[in-house]
Amino acid sequence: MTATHDLVRQLAAHVPLGAATLEDIETQGPHAKVWTPLAGDAESRGWTEL
């Protein structure tokens, strides 16, 4: 996504990005260890730990 969207590339250079399923966020909450960083290791973590 960063290759084709310049603004996303600029954001990713300053802010750690992560992904989570909506179902996990809804059932466990956004602070739960449901987020997977898009860079680095694949260990799930809370969004504040990305």
Side-chain angles (χ1 to χ4, degrees), residues 3-36:
T4 58
H5 298 286
D6 190 49
L7 291 177
V8 175
R9 181 186 54 76
Q10 291 175 26
L11 177 69
H14 300 285
V15 178
L17 302 178
T21 63
L22 182 56
E23 181 179 353
D24 287 344
I25 295 170
E26 290 177 338
T27 59
Q28 299 178 47
H31 289 53
K33 293 185 177 183
V34 297
W35 295 92
T36 302

